[in-house]
Amino acid sequence: MVKALFFFLTIVFVIIGDQWSKLGIIAHFDYGESIILIRDFFNVTYVRNTGAAFGFLAAANPTFRVPFFLVVPIVAMVVLGFLYRDLPANAKWRAMALGLVSGGAIGNLIDRVRLGYVVDFLDFHYNTAYYFPAFNVADSAICVGVTILLLSTLTTKKETQNASSPI
């Protein structure tokens, strides 16, 4: 029950936060408009991403790109569902991590189905020389979720190795 609560509530919160923030950007910004929040470091900029992370495949032929970016998140959701199913009942952190990844994938899928692109707006950079590609709440949730999964996997393996080693 606790595992399910962490998983499903995380998905819901990520989707709501992601879609709410994107709707706010669309409603209050013109495409390409940018507001400086921290000079030479952070702007809010309305960007449309037709590709994946960091614009990967954005220039690909739409007859390939569009179906690809609709099918991949669905396949990912199936895989995440199997991973969730196999989690132990007390794996709250891993359930939450899978919820973050799932919620992020669903949030970006909603954009692709509804708009044909993903709305990105978090724009970090250093001066005018180094720019990190713009991203959104869903992207952040996916990255945090994957990081938690990796750390929990490393911790679990380390605990398993220590438990099986002779004293």
Side-chain angles (χ1 to χ4, degrees):
M1 179 66 179
V2 173
K3 175 179 88 168
L5 194 64
F6 272 75
F7 180 66
F8 290 109
L9 281 180
T10 302
I11 290 172
V12 168
F13 283 127
V14 169
I15 292 170
I16 290 171
D18 178 61
Q19 291 300 301
W20 177 77
S21 63
K22 290 172 179 175
L23 289 171
I25 293 297
I26 291 169
H28 295 26
F29 283 72
D30 291 327
Y31 173 67
E33 183 179 356
S34 185
I35 294 178
I36 298 169
L37 293 182
I38 302 173
R39 182 169 299 287
D40 295 329
F41 182 69
F42 178 60
N43 298 348
V44 173
T45 305
Y46 178 14
V47 179
R48 296 175 181 165
N49 183 358
T50 57
F54 314 119
F56 176 68
L57 294 178
N61 186 326
T63 57
F64 165 76
R65 185 186 70 234
V66 172
F68 178 79
F69 287 127
L70 295 176
V71 170
V72 167
I74 294 167
V75 171
M77 292 302 301
V78 170
V79 171
L80 291 167
F82 281 114
L83 291 172
Y84 168 77
R85 183 195 68 187
D86 293 340
L87 285 179
N90 63 347
K92 297 181 289 194
W93 285 102
R94 282 184 278 166
M96 184 181 71
L98 290 173
L100 287 166
V101 176
S102 299
I106 293 168
N108 282 339
L109 180 61
I110 290 169
D111 280 14
R112 288 189 194 285
V113 169
R114 191 170 64 90
L115 304 168
Y117 55 84
V118 173
V119 174
D120 288 332
F121 57 91
L122 301 170
D123 179 17
F124 286 89
H125 58 279
Y126 177 71
N127 290 326
T128 57
Y130 304 101
Y131 276 84
F132 192 79
F135 58 98
N136 57 44
V137 172
D139 299 334
S140 300
I142 292 168
C143 290
V144 170
V146 167
T147 301
I148 293 170
L149 285 172
L150 288 173
L151 291 174
S152 70
T153 300
L154 293 173
T155 303
T156 303
K157 284 184 179 179
K158 194 178 264 187
E159 288 171 359
T160 305
Q161 289 171 349
N162 288 342
S164 64
S165 61
I167 297 177

